[in-house]
Amino acid sequence: MRFDLFYELAVPRFTGLTEREVYDHSLDEIALADSAGFDGVWLVEHHFFREYSHCPAPEVLFGAISQRTERLRIGHGVVLLPFNHPVRVAERIAALDIMSGGRMDVGVGRGVSPLEYEVFGGKMSESRARVDEGLEILRRAWADEPFSFDGQFWSFPEIDVVPKPLQTPHPPLWTAAVSPETFPMAAEQGLGVLAGPFKPLFMISEDRQHFVDRCHELGKDPADLGFGMTVGAVVLDDHERAREVAGTNIRWFYEQLLRLTAPVLEKGGEAYRYYREELGTLRALTGGTPSLEGLEAAGMVVAGDAEHAIEQLRGLASHGIDHVLCAVQAGGVPHADVLRSIELFGEEVIPALRGMRTGVEAPAAGRGRGRPDMRIFLRESANVTPELLFQAMPLSFRRDRADGLRALYRIDLAGEGGGTWWVDVADGSCVVTREHEGQSPDVRIRSDAETWVELAKGNRSRLGAVLRRRLRVKGDRRKAAQFARLFG
Amino acid sequence: MRFDLFYELAVPRFTGLTEREVYDHSLDEIALADSAGFDGVWLVEHHFFREYSHCPAPEVLFGAISQRTERLRIGHGVVLLPFNHPVRVAERIAALDIMSGGRMDVGVGRGVSPLEYEVFGGKMSESRARVDEGLEILRRAWADEPFSFDGQFWSFPEIDVVPKPLQTPHPPLWTAAVSPETFPMAAEQGLGVLAGPFKPLFMISEDRQHFVDRCHELGKDPADLGFGMTVGAVVLDDHERAREVAGTNIRWFYEQLLRLTAPVLEKGGEAYRYYREELGTLRALTGGTPSLEGLEAAGMVVAGDAEHAIEQLRGLASHGIDHVLCAVQAGGVPHADVLRSIELFGEEVIPALRGMRTGVEAPAAGRGRGRPDMRIFLRESANVTPELLFQAMPLSFRRDRADGLRALYRIDLAGEGGGTWWVDVADGSCVVTREHEGQSPDVRIRSDAETWVELAKGNRSRLGAVLRRRLRVKGDRRKAAQFARLFG
């Protein structure tokens, strides 16, 4: 496994920290990680996110890190390519690659903040095309020949960009990946994947499979490109202390992330459809305040003593995640705790996991084993309604279990928040609608809204509900039996 | 006096240096300067200037320097504000100010490369207005309050820029200054001045006086703002070796600078009128290859042993220059020589000059004393023609000696390159024309083209020329006697 750090430079008001303390602490922590055995460090680029992230100019920190570390790879996680001039980005990264002795990794992304586009220019609806054009310019600027460019967004006469990066042909490229279509695209474009930070493992493990499959189709080795997942991480000698810190700081981090990404759900348009329809649903389901247990079960947090952390990370590895970006300072985790986390990773966690085989090496291994599911998010939420649950069904749809299945389900729920929903499973996909003209369902399910929510949360058993007549199922028995297994 | 370093990160092909060597060497040199006693270091931002300057992204080097030094002030010399988004610049500098413990100096400028505008956007003709608007945004972004902006070039809704710089209200601001109108403007806007690098002392000392005068008119202390001048500097134990190195590397630096700034003379338009009409003339006069002696006499180079350097710098100080930016690596001066230069500055030059009073402290002192003049540029040039000399007259016009003078001179030169010129001195200004309707000259001068050029170079005396009948002067005696003194 590869172990990196991931920093957003949080300055939460409740911690009383100053910006200077956070910057100084973070540089000290990163310097420690260099000798402790970590492999890399990634810094975000976020603008105007007071408290959550005071890191709008990671490039200048990379300059500092290049002099404070000797081994760590240094990653742009990620540079917002739609509105940073790609030539300027190419120049900066080349200079950093030189100063770091060829240790740069370059993640690119389109960001999640409509405000950033309003300030820095460009249409958010064109974000993906802008990233693609930016990548083309980066590659040409890093090549030896002078070049001119006449693109959709950027055009310029012949230029001779200097300096050139040390790594040849250029530093490895990565992409932030949230939307499902990004994962196979990464394989096609030769980009490593940076998954998360707000995406649970049960969704990411599907995404990873698409990435790996597409790599294999193209004859590429996914391990050459890489697939990293960001997790909040607090590892301390005192297990309870670690969970307390994570319960405060890391939970705050995810809450803020959900809050700050809200505008993209409204304003992102078609290019961010996935955010609105799937992550938006997840946000609504959790009420914006996921529990530590929920985050942990979803593979998004590692919090506890070293033994616990090793167990958690083995779980991730069993789902193919062989590269984690540890957000050790997320939400303003106290400096002393971050330092100790880094030490414990170096002394115990990393040595225990360094050589282990993961799903990327053996793509299909472990798939589905102990797979976490969405119930963990729902259990503590007061927000769950049948409508939200049906919206969320495509998120947890187990394509791997639907092979060849063709079934139409009609669900009628009585009581407040109830109604009728149709779930149409065909060709490995799942569509939920409120109406369905002209067809009879294969299976008809009747229940009430309250029971349906409790079943979804796992607070009641289906058998008990049937026995107590709160759940009635009619129609094709085989298809009826498959229904629950389809949504893991 | 204040002593800074000035870097362009030259990678001249003839030196055989790699980009990595230049970056590594420069960082080592700057770290040495930190302990040797220098006060600051400035890095340029130039794009697409292969060999001359491989420094398009100084911000990432500042990050490195913030960790390699403890005392040095760190200066953007200068950030090209017309096409770097000012909010992005504000963010970067705030982060750097934090990491350096409040050591940033921020020079802004409009650049001299039409190509940079073609690539990064914006009209070069609007460069000054763009800088002004950019400065306003910088100041607001560094203030505590969120703000929105609706300007000529940049507009955006309310943003809360983080982080904030450590220095309050913000890091000192400076401006690159070449055009004469920039100097009083700097005083008005509260900006320090960075003069040069390609402008001789006899021009800069006039500029400085305008800056100082305007400061005093406004009740400001020019020393609070600062006035620095860039000079090429090679100081070695072996005087001859220093002059040899400077004669190779520093001369190359100035040659390249003249070559690379040529496009602005053609394409800069009205906003760069001064470059075309005055610096362009200077370039033509020197044939683009000024001699080391010429550069030294013009106060643009300090080259020799420590004793010689101290003498040279005393000369600058006597003209009010109390802050020098030493281009120690200009043109790829060998690393070992740069290191020794820095040591000798620290051991001998800086201690000898540190406490001396200069013209900024006593504005009028030393004015005109031993004032270098333009002849030194002309002496070794094969390019000098009477036409160029007349074009150059306004450059060397001594406004301070023209007080109250009103005189019209007619000069007729025989031979190849000869002709008739009129020099009209009135109200402290000087206008040269080829024709002058309806007036009789106060003084009429006859000579031949060859003699005129030799006189200008200082190779012949005026008295000798008169005695040998190569120079004849008729008309108002007092005004005739003043003619030579007017162009120093």
Side-chain angles (χ1 to χ4, degrees), chain B residues 10 12 14 49-53 198 249-263 283 288-290 331:
Chain B
F14 74 85
F49 278 180
R50 183 179 284 278
E51 295 194 77
Y52 175 74
S53 171
F198 197 87
N249 300 94
I250 308 280
R251 274 189 64 207
W252 182 91
F253 162 73
Y254 282 111
E255 280 171 30
Q256 294 298 307
L257 186 54
L258 284 174
R259 187 176 68 78
L260 291 166
T261 53
R283 178 163 171 267
T289 55

Side-chain angles (χ1 to χ4, degrees), chain B residues 41-274:
Chain B
V41 56
W42 300 79
L43 270 71
V44 300
E45 175 187 339
H46 283 314
H47 303 272
F48 324 127
F49 278 180
R50 183 179 284 278
E51 295 194 77
Y52 175 74
S53 171
H54 290 229
C55 191
E59 61 271 21
V60 303
L61 284 119
F62 297 147
I65 293 167
S66 76
Q67 307 300 302
R68 294 286 300 272
T69 60
E70 292 179 1
R71 297 176 41 263
L72 286 188
R73 292 195 63 80
I74 302 171
H76 246 304
V78 296
V79 60
L80 301 174
L81 209 45
F83 46 74
N84 277 290
H85 197 296
V87 171
R88 205 72 181 64
V89 173
E91 293 170 332
R92 287 203 290 258
I93 290 170
L96 288 165
D97 204 46
I98 291 170
M99 291 199 298
S100 65
R103 291 188 280 136
M104 288 301 292
D105 276 306
V106 181
V108 302
R110 49 201 187 120
V112 294
S113 164
L115 181 59
E116 290 173 340
Y117 284 82
E118 289 177 60
V119 175
F120 297 118
K123 289 184 193 157
M124 202 166 192
S125 59
E126 301 167 337
S127 58
R128 197 176 290 279
R130 284 182 162 265
V131 169
D132 289 347
E133 190 167 312
L135 280 169
E136 188 183 343
I137 294 172
L138 286 186
R139 288 183 159 115
R140 300 208 48 195
W142 286 332
D144 282 336
E145 295 299 309
F147 74 110
S148 60
F149 198 83
D150 187 10
Q152 188 182 350
F153 309 107
W154 312 104
S155 295
F156 41 84
E158 184 171 283
I159 52 175
D160 185 9
V161 178
V162 289
K164 299 297 181 190
L166 218 55
Q167 295 174 87
T168 54
H170 54 70
L173 289 163
W174 302 70
T175 179
V178 177
S179 301
E181 61 269 26
T182 306
F183 294 83
M185 189 212 74
E188 288 153 20
Q189 298 193 4
L191 309 175
V193 169
L194 301 169
F198 197 87
K199 198 164 181 182
L201 180 60
F202 67 86
M203 294 164 83
I204 287 182
S205 64
E206 291 280 330
D207 297 330
R208 194 192 69 81
Q209 199 56 49
H210 295 149
F211 170 71
V212 169
D213 291 347
R214 191 76 187 110
C215 279
H216 289 151
E217 282 169 25
L218 297 164
K220 297 180 182 179
D221 184 347
D224 287 346
L225 300 180
F227 188 103
M229 177 180 174
T230 301
V231 295
V234 182
V235 182
L236 298 174
D237 303 282
D238 179 345
H239 182 77
E240 293 311 317
R241 162 83 185 155
R243 296 190 69 77
E244 193 184 307
V245 169
T248 302
N249 300 94
I250 308 280
R251 274 189 64 207
W252 182 91
F253 162 73
Y254 282 111
E255 280 171 30
Q256 294 298 307
L257 186 54
L258 284 174
R259 187 176 68 78
L260 291 166
T261 53
V264 76
L265 308 183
E266 291 165 34
K267 298 187 185 176
E270 188 51 29
Y272 289 80
R273 185 196 58 76
Y274 176 81

Side-chain angles (χ1 to χ4, degrees), chain B residues 426-471:
Chain B
D427 306 324
S429 78
C430 158
V431 177
V432 177
T433 53
R434 295 303 302 262
E435 292 184 4
H436 207 280
E437 294 296 325
Q439 264 190 280
S440 303
D442 299 306
V443 178
R444 189 157 178 186
I445 302 171
R446 288 166 198 268
S447 182
D448 61 274
E450 190 196 334
T451 300
W452 193 255
V453 167
E454 291 301 303
L455 284 170
K457 288 186 172 189
N459 292 341
R460 289 199 194 162
S461 75
R462 279 186 294 275
L463 181 61
V466 168
L467 291 176
R468 295 206 328 282
R469 300 248 165 155
R470 306 295 292 262
L471 178 66

Side-chain angles (χ1 to χ4, degrees), chain B residues 278-300:
Chain B
E278 318 239 325
L279 291 193
T281 301
L282 197 61
R283 178 163 171 267
L285 275 172
T286 62
T289 55
S291 68
L292 180 61
E293 290 70 24
L295 292 167
E296 197 169 54
M300 293 156 76

Side-chain angles (χ1 to χ4, degrees), chain B residues 21-40:
Chain B
E21 285 167 333
V22 170
Y23 271 68
D24 287 351
H25 293 170
S26 297
L27 289 175
D28 287 346
E29 291 156 14
I30 291 164
L32 174 64
D34 187 56
S35 53
F38 275 86
D39 300 295

